[in-house]
């Protein structure tokens, strides 16, 4: 079999299978999204994938204010 025929068969197969794979991925992708997040949290990747809200980060940072007794400010 000539090489160009092999490439032609592979390209036609790709054209036929790509829409089918996209349809299956779209159909089952929404169902598995919750399972993926649960697995990531259980494996310890939850902080990277679902980062905390801004107000939680601000609450954890200390408020810097000027000292009241003439001491130099804390850095």
């Amino acid at each position: 079999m000539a090489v160009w025929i092999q490439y032609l068969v592979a390209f036609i197969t790709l054209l036929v299978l790509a829409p089918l794979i996209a349809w299956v991925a779209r159909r089952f992708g929404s169902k598995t999204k919750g399972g993926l997040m649960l697995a990531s949290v259980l494996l310890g990747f939850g902080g990277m994938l679902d980062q905390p809200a801004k107000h939680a980060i601000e609450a954890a940072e200390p408020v810097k204010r000027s000292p009241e007794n003439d001491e130099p400010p804390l850095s």
Side-chain angles (χ1 to χ4, degrees):
M1 188 186 283
V3 175
W4 67 272
I5 294 177
Q6 294 174 356
Y7 284 117
L8 182 65
V9 169
F11 183 70
I12 291 173
T13 304
L14 179 69
L15 286 178
V16 170
L17 290 180
L20 179 66
I21 292 171
W23 176 74
V24 170
R26 177 172 284 185
R27 182 162 172 89
F28 295 113
S30 61
K31 293 179 183 177
T32 60
K33 190 186 311 180
L36 175 66
M37 286 303 296
L38 179 62
S40 66
V41 168
L42 291 175
L43 290 173
F45 297 115
M48 290 182 284
L49 296 176
D50 187 24
Q51 296 184 358
K54 180 75 174 164
H55 59 83
I57 294 172
E58 291 173 352
E61 296 175 359
V63 178
K64 295 182 180 178
R65 45 184 124 150
S66 62
E68 298 173 0
N69 55 3
D70 293 334
E71 293 181 4
L74 299 173
S75 301

